[in-house]
Amino acid sequence: MPPHTAWTSQTPPLEGVVVLDLSRYIAGPYCTMLMADAGATIIKVEPPAGDDTRGLEPFVPGPSGESVSAYFIRMNRGKKSIVLDLKTASGREELAALVRKADVLVENFAAGVLERLGFPQEHLYEINPSLIYCSVSGFGHSQSPMKHRPAYNIVAEYEAGVFYQKDANAIPAPVGPPVGDMFPALHALSGLLMALYRKAMTGEGGRVDIAMYDSMLSLNEIRSTYALLYGKDWDPSAHPFYAPYGVFPVRDGYICIDVTTPPQWEGFCEAIGSPEIAQRAGLGTGPERVKRFDEVIREPLEQWLSRQTRDEAVDRLSEYRVPAAVIRNPGEALASSQARSREMELEVSGDGVSITTVGNPIKIDNWCGRAHGKAPSLNGDRDWILREILGRTIEVEESRR
């Protein structure tokens, strides 16, 4: 084991990795944003009108009164922007030059779009045999019945059974956060890092094909498996194997409790001032407690909770090693001391404005928690990219126009 001093490197984990980012919205940009935080050079290739999300709400007023998209700033910190019109020969020529210099290309077009723009997979590897090419699409790039369907996050979520339904007669509702975008972005990051590791070992490039639908099936593994095993849907509000489990009211709001192991069950009974319940026969396992929850556990639990505030209840349960949490709204959660202590509340700037958003959850030594840059202005890094990536001088570039 190397000494601890060997873990204090100031080198960002992905320093030197050059990524061409042709993606927009969330699934691709969130992946490449995390790579930018880790020190990769992210070249955001935008069409002449800019990434679609530059025109999406929510907006904040810019320094001259113009509308600046907080949506774009949130997902594109630390990147560099260049405009290329891929519908023109000169735009395609410049993209090919960048592909030749890049380690990674990320796009989240619908299947077939990049091919129609003149860059099928085979051509990309002709230009750069060691390129790692990552696509994030609704249903993947291999042959499948839904390959060419358009998709946003809720399309992938619903198609894969990721939704909330209070009962069989209720209208299925989205789960809330755009997990159909965020979860595939993390799978894309995982695949890219695996491919980069292999490239470091062998020099080989590779293809990372992420389907939002596949990611949602993976996210829903427990419910899908449960349905196949038991022939019925999982009720997310009441665990079939563990109790106490779920959401419970207290004096000033709600908390959640999740008692799973025998030590947690014993600690729970101690915490609520009813240690004798833990000694009763027929309550030693989770399924037994589920069956007898209303009969034995609910009344003493609710009586105890009725005297507690959110923080009092959770602090007490936590003292006895019982998993519990205050149920907070998202704004309250991000402003909490826990979020701030983990550097998860982050101020990001772009186009003359600053917004508060969520930081990077990946912490590696001194990097990723703090390695953040501003979101780029449209085409604002063209000269830098031509000079530093393609090795051109500005005078030569101007003569080419």
Side-chain angles (χ1 to χ4, degrees):
M1 177 69 70
H4 180 70
T5 53
W7 306 344
T8 59
S9 171
Q10 295 299 301
T11 303
L14 294 181
E15 184 175 273
V17 175
V18 176
V19 180
L20 297 184
D21 182 3
L22 278 69
S23 65
R24 64 267 192 267
Y25 296 103
I26 297 176
Y30 185 70
C31 168
T32 54
M33 182 189 75
L34 294 176
M35 298 181 80
D37 285 350
T41 298
I42 310 298
I43 300 174
K44 186 169 182 63
V45 178
E46 302 190 62
D51 182 331
D52 293 344
T53 57
R54 289 185 183 271
L56 294 185
E57 296 181 342
F59 294 116
V60 291
S64 301
E66 73 277 19
S67 294
V68 178
S69 172
Y71 190 131
F72 179 84
I73 292 174
R74 280 173 24 230
M75 294 292 156
N76 291 284
R77 63 174 181 254
K79 303 179 185 180
K80 299 183 182 298
S81 170
I82 186 171
V83 165
L84 299 181
D85 186 350
L86 299 183
K87 295 180 181 179
T88 67
S90 61
R92 292 190 293 272
E93 179 184 335
E94 287 198 316
L95 180 61
L98 288 171
V99 168
R100 196 168 290 115
K101 297 290 186 177
D103 298 292
V104 173
L105 184 148
V106 178
E107 53 94 358
N108 62 346
F109 298 121
V113 169
L114 200 59
E115 287 87 339
R116 291 196 294 274
L117 290 171
F119 290 90
Q121 179 176 320
E122 297 76 14
H123 183 43
L124 289 171
Y125 288 121
E126 287 173 0
I127 299 169
N128 183 350
S130 65
L131 181 72
I132 296 169
Y133 169 30
C134 174
S135 61
V136 183
S137 62
F139 299 96
H141 280 238
S142 63
Q143 285 303 318
S144 69
M146 301 182 188
K147 175 180 177 178
H148 294 288
R149 286 191 186 181
Y152 287 124
N153 64 290
I154 62 168
V155 172
E157 291 167 23
Y158 278 121
E159 193 69 54
V162 178
F163 56 81
Y164 173 72
Q165 191 173 24
K166 186 175 181 180
D167 57 58
N169 297 318
I171 297 175
V175 294
V179 293
D181 281 320
M182 303 292 278
F183 207 58
L186 297 178
H187 279 151
L189 178 61
S190 296
L192 283 169
L193 295 179
M194 293 177 196
L196 282 167
Y197 180 81
R198 185 178 69 177
K199 179 177 178 178
M201 296 295 103
T202 68
E204 298 177 6
R207 182 77 159 89
V208 180
D209 177 12
I210 303 296
M212 297 158 69
Y213 172 75
D214 296 353
S215 289
M216 289 302 91
L217 287 177
S218 175
L219 178 66
N220 217 23
E221 181 274 337
I222 189 169
R223 292 181 65 183
S224 297
T225 303
Y226 183 87
L228 292 174
L229 288 172
Y230 295 97
K232 59 182 179 180
D233 289 337
W234 178 284
D235 179 359
S237 65
H239 203 290
F241 307 127
Y242 307 127
Y245 173 94
V247 176
F248 301 93
V250 292
R251 284 169 47 198
D252 60 346
Y254 296 89
I255 68 167
C256 75
I257 303 172
D258 185 356
V259 174
T260 300
T261 68
Q264 290 167 1
W265 165 239
E266 293 170 6
F268 164 80
C269 294
E270 291 280 352
I272 68 169
S274 300
E276 72 282 356
I277 300 177
Q279 307 307 316
R280 292 195 185 185
L283 295 176
T285 69
E288 288 175 322
R289 294 194 294 275
V290 169
K291 185 176 181 180
R292 300 186 64 193
F293 180 78
D294 288 331
E295 172 194 350
V296 179
I297 304 170
R298 183 181 294 279
E299 183 177 353
L301 172 58
E302 291 183 346
Q303 286 183 356
W304 179 74
L305 290 173
S306 69
R307 302 189 297 271
Q308 312 294 317
T309 65
R310 300 184 309 174
D311 290 322
E312 289 170 347
V314 170
D315 287 348
R316 173 74 173 177
L317 290 165
S318 297
E319 287 176 12
Y320 285 86
R321 311 301 300 163
V322 177
V326 172
I327 296 179
R328 306 181 190 276
N329 64 53
E332 180 189 9
L334 187 55
S336 70
S337 59
Q338 176 65 26
R340 287 173 177 165
S341 69
R342 291 289 295 171
E343 298 183 300
M344 289 304 295
E345 184 184 51
L346 178 69
E347 187 173 285
V348 179
S349 63
D351 284 338
V353 304
S354 294
I355 63 169
T356 299
T357 186
V358 179
N360 193 320
I362 303 170
K363 317 294 189 200
I364 305 175
D365 300 326
N366 295 321
W367 287 100
C368 297
R370 300 186 182 90
H372 306 292
K374 68 177 184 178
S377 299
L378 181 62
N379 208 34
D381 303 288
R382 181 177 183 84
D383 288 351
W384 185 94
I385 292 167
L386 296 176
R387 182 178 66 250
E388 300 298 329
I389 303 300
L390 297 184
R392 299 178 187 170
T393 63
I394 302 305
E395 292 77 11
V396 170
E397 176 58 24
E398 288 177 347
S399 70
R400 291 163 57 96
R401 294 175 181 171

